[in-house]
Structure formats: C-alpha cells, structure tokens
Amino acid sequence: MASEKSDATPFIKNGNTAVITKTPVPDPKAAKLGRGKALKQVLASFVANLGTINTGMAFGFSATALPQMKEQLNITDSQSSWIASLSSAGTPVGCLLSGYLMDNIGRRNTLIITEIPLILGWLLIAFAQNIPMIYAGRLMIGLGCGMVGAPARVYTCEVSQPHLRGMLGALASVGVSTGVLIQYVIGTNTTWNILAGVSAIIPILSFLGMLFMPETPNYLLTQIGRERAESSLAKLRGSTCNLQEEIQKMIAFKEKNHVEPLKGFRETIKALVSPSTLKPFTILAIYFFVYQWCGVNTITFYAVQVFEASGADKTAKYWLTISLGILRVIFTVVGCILCRKCGRRILTFVSALGCGLTMICLAIYMYYVKYWNENGMPLQYAWIPVASIYVFMIFCTLGYLIIPWVMIGEVYPTQVRGIIGGLTTCVAHLSVFSVVKTYPYLKKLLDDYGVFGLYGTMSLLAIIFFYFCLPETKGRTLQEIEDYFSGRTKSLRRRNTQCEGA
C-alpha cells in the first residue's frame, strides 16, 4: 500500500521503533463497494450485547422490587439501600476479571463465561428465603454485569467497520435501557421473586447465542494468526467485502506498531502506564463519574420513590415509572442513530446542559413541595416534576448513556484493550455504587431538593471539562485514535478528506 513520508516523530513500543504514516484516502464510492454485509455485523453485535440487558435489569430491579419488599419483608432503609447498591458493588470485581479474561481467552469466550454468574444470581434471588440470599444474588448479578460490559463493547467495535461502529457500539446502551424497561413493566405486574426468575431468561439466551458467534479478527490476528483471523472476517463480512484488503490493513497496522501479545507483568504495566492508555482512561474515568453524579441512576434505581416524593399518587407513580422506561428505550435508539450522524462531543454537550437544567428545575420544585407540605397547602403545577424527569431522561440518553460506553471500544490500544476496558467499566460501576448508595443519606442531609440541585450543578460544571478534554472520535479508525493518544498525530479533528462515517 502506498504511503507518504511521515510528519510525526518516531515512537517506541515494546522496545521497537515505529512510525505513523498517512495513507491516501480511498474514493468513497469504491469504499462502499468493498464494504461487508451490514446484516452480519449487526447480528454479531446484537448477540454480543444481549448480555447488557442484564445490566439494565440489575438497575431497574430495585425500583419496583424495593416497595414490595418493604411491605412483604419489612426491610429497613439500610437494607433497602444495600439491595439497590450491592449489584454495583459486585460489578468492579467482574470488570477487572473480564479485562484479564478478554486478553487471555478472547472476547467471545469471556462473553460466554460472563452469563454464568448472571443466571445463578437471578435464580438465587428468585428462590430467596431471607435477606442474605438476596444480598448474595445481587452481588453475583453485579459480578456478571461487570464482566459483560467491556467485552460486549470491545467485541462490537472489533467486528464492525467504521461506518457502522458508532451505531452498533451504542447497542449496549439500548440493551441497558431495554433491561430497565423490562423490570419496570414486569415488576409492576408481578412479585419481586417471579420478576427475578423471569430475568434469568436473558442470560440463558445470551449464553446460547454466543456459542454460534466467531471470535473477533483483531484478537485472532494478534494471538493466533492470519488464517484464523481471515476465517473470522469472512463470517463477519460476507462475500461483498474485500477481505484481503481489510486483513492486509490489519496486518500492516500490527507490524507497523509491533502489536504482539504482551509477555509478562512488566510489559503489561508498561503498556498500561503509556500515554496512549492513561490519557483516554483519565478522560473516560472523569466522564463516567460526572454522568453518574448527574443523577441518572438515582432516578433509575429509585424511580417509584422519586415520583412519590414529587407528589404522584400511589397508582400514578408506577405508571409514570413504566412510561419513563419506555421513553428511555425510545431515545436510546434515537441516540444510537444520532451517534452515527453527530459527533461524540456535541451529543455530550447536549446531555450535560439538558441534564443540568432539568435537575435544577426539579430541585426547585422539590423545595416548594416541602414548603407546601409543611404549611398544609395543596400541591401546584404537578406536571412540572414529571416533565422535568422525562426531559432529563431524554437528554441523558442522547449523550451520557451512550457516548462513554461507545468510546471504551474506540480509544484504547489493541494490546491492552481488554484489561483497560475492564478497568474503565470498573470505575464506571464504582461511580454507580457511590451515587446509588449515598442517595438515601444525602436525602436525609440535604433533602430531596438539595440532592437534585447537587446533581444539576455537577452536570453543568462538567461542560467545562468536556470542552477542553473530550476528543472527537467520530469517523476515525481505531488506528487513527490510537495514533492520536500516543502522540503520533497532534489532532483528531477532521481533515479535508472523505471518511466512511461513525
């Protein structure tokens, strides 16, 4: 393949010198003719992301189950907060484990193994005879949710071509939103233990589906060899794709950057502390912390209680919760489509501004709810909190719930994509745990209006960080993104060239 002289400084990787080169941009029409079949890539990505529905189900379970448990099991507020947050406490362990497994046994095998604790966890809750059994079940579910997060996203990004990667990478967010909706709908119409039993169906289907999926070509090329990588690529692209050209690009990148399996602890640590790893990890770690503290999972985990606090009656609060779940799924799908058309930065700014303003609006209304209740006055403008929560969820799904998860599969070097992807999801779920576990205590300390005011302020202040630190990865290949974070290219800004899409 023809190349021009490098304009970047040579770099060192695994003790070898390499350079970044520019390649001529192909004609867009010719590039489209050589693309693989989208259906095959969509199918593989869909099956890989089935497991992410469990994450949403773990989030949504407590919203409908906790009110029932308080009536049937007489659980305390402390026990309630542990049941809600323990899944997030078990998740970091799963994240770290999945990172190790991805780079040692492959993305596909990791996705298969991850369903086992999910199946066992849901069944344990379904047949629970006491609170400790529920705790144990939630921990196992959290372990499984942690294990599925990074592999699903890395698998999706590695099996899809650039023009589909943004949209397919967002499937995990659709899965999470779908899981939340499933829990809201079924949980409102059945008991908490039956809900847990039904929830076990999803990981069983995911386990069976992944048995028929191929390993990713990137992993096979790095760990095994060209022949297996070509075989996998043929299954994922079909007859319409120029397989030799695509595999040759992968080989060229592997050889140019000396991408070989890391040998030993020292090489792994060296790769993890390199700028190409630490820079994107820091950005995403802060991104996840900020978006969790905008209040999204407080709304998700405690939806029924939040609507009740805003003044909704006993019947309405359940239907409002279900409709919130439906809204979340719809706009997550919209967000997936926008992710292909719009940049990562613009969707993030939309989320940050929208979530911040709606949370502050909700906080102001909550303040007046307290004032009206203390003075025996009737509630007024009851549509305001409902509208605030609904609009908040719309803004949140368009950016916050999609962009950082998509970027996990985009921004990390091939050699440590599994390990650092697991570490990133670990940080993400630690942030979930921190906000969900602290909500009942912050509520007592600051009252409802203070908590939501805090969430809104966090989101608005985050705009400053996103403006200066968040790169635009739309339309960039995985190789270009890695070159940028390694310092081999100075910018990811779109040049005067054609590209294939997201």
Side-chain angles (χ1 to χ4, degrees), residues 19 50 118 216 220-221 239 300 344 377 388 391 407 431 442:
V19 294
L50 264 180
L118 288 168
T216 70
L220 291 172
L221 185 63
S239 59
T300 302
R344 314 308 190 229
M377 300 170 63
S388 296
V391 175
M407 292 182 73
S431 297
L442 286 175

Side-chain angles (χ1 to χ4, degrees), residues 61 68 72 122-123 125-127 183 186-187 189-201:
F61 178 78
Q68 295 180 19
Q72 298 174 17
W122 285 119
L123 292 178
I125 295 175
F127 295 101
Q183 300 298 73
I186 299 178
N189 295 284
T190 189
T191 60
W192 59 269
N193 51 342
I194 292 177
L195 173 63
V198 172
S199 298
I201 295 173

Side-chain angles (χ1 to χ4, degrees), residues 68-83:
Q68 295 180 19
M69 289 179 179
K70 285 185 175 180
E71 292 181 4
Q72 298 174 17
L73 305 177
N74 295 316
I75 61 175
T76 65
D77 287 341
S78 177
Q79 290 173 324
S80 174
S81 70
W82 279 114
I83 291 171

Side-chain angles (χ1 to χ4, degrees), residues 118 233 448:
L118 288 168
L233 198 62
D448 288 302

Side-chain angles (χ1 to χ4, degrees), residues 92-112:
V93 179
C95 295
L96 298 175
L97 181 60
S98 73
Y100 173 81
L101 292 175
M102 262 198 290
D103 288 336
N104 285 274
I105 66 173
R107 286 61 160 136
R108 171 183 174 271
N109 289 335
T110 302
L111 284 169
I112 292 173

Side-chain angles (χ1 to χ4, degrees), residues 180-454:
V180 171
L181 177 59
I182 289 172
Q183 300 298 73
Y184 285 175
V185 173
I186 299 178
T188 302
N189 295 284
T190 189
T191 60
W192 59 269
N193 51 342
I194 292 177
L195 173 63
V198 172
S199 298
I201 295 173
I202 295 295
I204 292 173
L205 291 176
S206 182
F207 177 88
L208 295 175
M210 282 308 301
L211 293 175
F212 298 96
M213 293 295 108
E215 181 56 83
T216 70
N218 302 63
Y219 176 82
L220 291 172
L221 185 63
T222 302
Q223 301 290 336
I224 299 178
R226 174 170 178 160
E227 186 176 341
R228 288 285 302 277
E230 284 184 349
S231 175
S232 172
L233 198 62
K235 294 177 182 177
L236 293 165
R237 298 290 186 265
S239 59
T240 62
C241 181
N242 188 335
L243 295 178
Q244 292 306 312
E245 181 180 353
E246 185 167 351
I247 199 73
Q248 196 57 48
K249 286 180 180 179
M250 293 170 61
I251 292 172
F253 179 76
K254 175 177 179 287
E255 292 176 348
K256 179 181 67 177
N257 296 313
H258 309 293
V259 180
E260 301 293 342
L262 296 171
K263 299 174 182 178
F265 181 75
R266 289 186 63 184
E267 278 196 8
T268 302
I269 294 299
K270 185 178 179 181
L272 288 175
V273 299
S274 66
S276 61
T277 303
L278 280 182
K279 286 179 182 178
F281 175 76
T282 303
I283 291 170
L284 286 184
I286 296 174
Y287 196 140
F288 277 112
F289 180 81
V290 166
Y291 111 64
Q292 287 302 331
W293 277 87
C294 79
V296 59
N297 276 315
T298 297
I299 300 294
T300 302
F301 278 66
Y302 300 101
V304 174
Q305 297 175 42
V306 171
F307 279 121
E308 184 176 16
S310 69
D313 61 43
K314 188 171 183 179
T315 302
K317 64 186 180 183
Y318 284 102
W319 288 108
L320 289 171
T321 300
I322 292 175
S323 60
L324 182 68
I326 295 172
L327 191 74
R328 175 171 172 160
V329 171
I330 292 172
F331 278 91
T332 305
V333 174
V334 172
C336 286
I337 297 170
L338 290 178
C339 194
R340 187 181 180 191
K341 302 294 183 182
C342 304
R344 314 308 190 229
R345 282 170 60 86
I346 187 64
L347 291 177
T348 297
F349 292 143
V350 167
S351 265
L353 182 61
C355 289
L357 293 177
T358 51
M359 278 291 100
I360 289 176
C361 181
L362 181 62
I364 294 172
Y365 186 85
M366 290 291 197
Y367 175 82
Y368 280 102
V369 167
K370 181 181 180 181
Y371 174 79
W372 291 328
N373 288 335
E374 289 177 345
N375 291 276
M377 300 170 63
L379 298 180
Q380 302 178 42
Y381 310 109
W383 59 270
I384 292 179
V386 175
S388 296
I389 293 172
Y390 279 21
V391 175
F392 166 83
M393 190 58 69
I394 291 172
F395 279 115
C396 195
T397 53
L398 292 179
Y400 276 168
L401 290 178
I402 295 176
I403 300 304
W405 296 108
V406 170
M407 292 182 73
I408 285 180
E410 292 183 328
V411 298
Y412 292 128
T414 307
Q415 288 175 303
V416 290
R417 193 170 289 152
I419 295 175
I420 199 66
L423 284 171
T424 306
T425 54
C426 175
V427 170
H429 288 283
L430 283 174
S431 297
V432 175
F433 177 76
S434 69
V435 72
V436 174
K437 181 59 181 171
T438 57
Y439 171 68
Y441 305 106
L442 286 175
K443 182 178 177 181
K444 288 182 179 179
L445 181 65
L446 304 175
D447 216 312
D448 288 302
Y449 65 87
V451 176
F452 292 113
L454 173 65

